[in-house]
């Protein structure tokens, strides 16, 4: 018996993620699509000039597997006072790099608490 995916199309302005363990390249899903990094500034993506003067910090986060995970972590970190942007280099099932840009340095404990609230773990700063 074959079950077809009723949601086969990737939403406009999103990039479909391929799962790391997929050998046939067809194990990604549109529900986990994340915004396309090449989207224009008019679509809400910050330009390089908007990032000038911001403090940038990278965090290694374990446990994220898909675009939904990225959205949860980004939402929790984005809610911290002073955070301007959150970028995630997803490594499905591994350790992802989360870059947080803010107007002033953030306390590592506050970042770790936000990531834990989303259900994941900061393993290195």
């Amino acid at each position: 018996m074959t079950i077809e995916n009723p949601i086969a199309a990737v939403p406009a302005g999103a990039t479909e993620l391929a799962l790391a363990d997929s050998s046939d390249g067809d194990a990604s899903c549109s529900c986990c699509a994340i915004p396309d990094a090449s989207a224009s500034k008019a679509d809400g993506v910050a330009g390089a000039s908007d990032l000038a003067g911001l403090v940038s910090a990278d965090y290694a986060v374990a446990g994220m597997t898909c675009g939904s995970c990225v959205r949860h972590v980004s939402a929790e970190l984005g809610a911290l006072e002073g955070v301007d942007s959150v970028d995630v280099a997803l490594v499905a099932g591994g350790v992802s790099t989360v870059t947080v840009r803010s107007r002033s340095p953030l306390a590592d404990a506050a970042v770790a608490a936000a990531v834990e609230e989303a259900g994941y773990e900061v393993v290195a700063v």
Side-chain angles (χ1 to χ4, degrees):
M1 177 172 168
T2 303
I3 299 174
E4 294 184 20
N5 181 1
I7 307 173
V10 176
T15 301
E16 190 172 12
L17 297 174
L19 300 178
D21 62 350
S22 172
S23 59
D24 63 1
D26 193 40
S28 57
C29 62
S30 61
C31 67
C32 294
I34 58 173
D36 187 352
S38 65
S40 70
K41 184 176 175 184
D43 292 336
V45 177
S49 63
D50 294 339
L51 302 178
L54 296 177
V55 176
S56 180
D58 291 335
Y59 300 89
V61 177
M64 293 191 291
T65 59
C66 66
S68 180
C69 301
V70 170
R71 285 188 295 278
H72 289 276
V73 169
S74 296
E76 288 294 333
L77 290 171
L80 294 176
E81 186 173 334
V83 171
D84 188 72
S85 69
V86 178
D87 295 308
V88 178
L90 179 66
V91 177
V95 177
S96 301
T97 301
V98 178
T99 302
V100 180
R101 291 181 186 84
S102 57
R103 286 173 251 147
S104 60
L106 300 172
D108 290 338
V111 172
V115 170
E116 288 174 15
E117 180 68 25
Y120 308 96
E121 178 185 8
V122 174
V123 294
V125 178

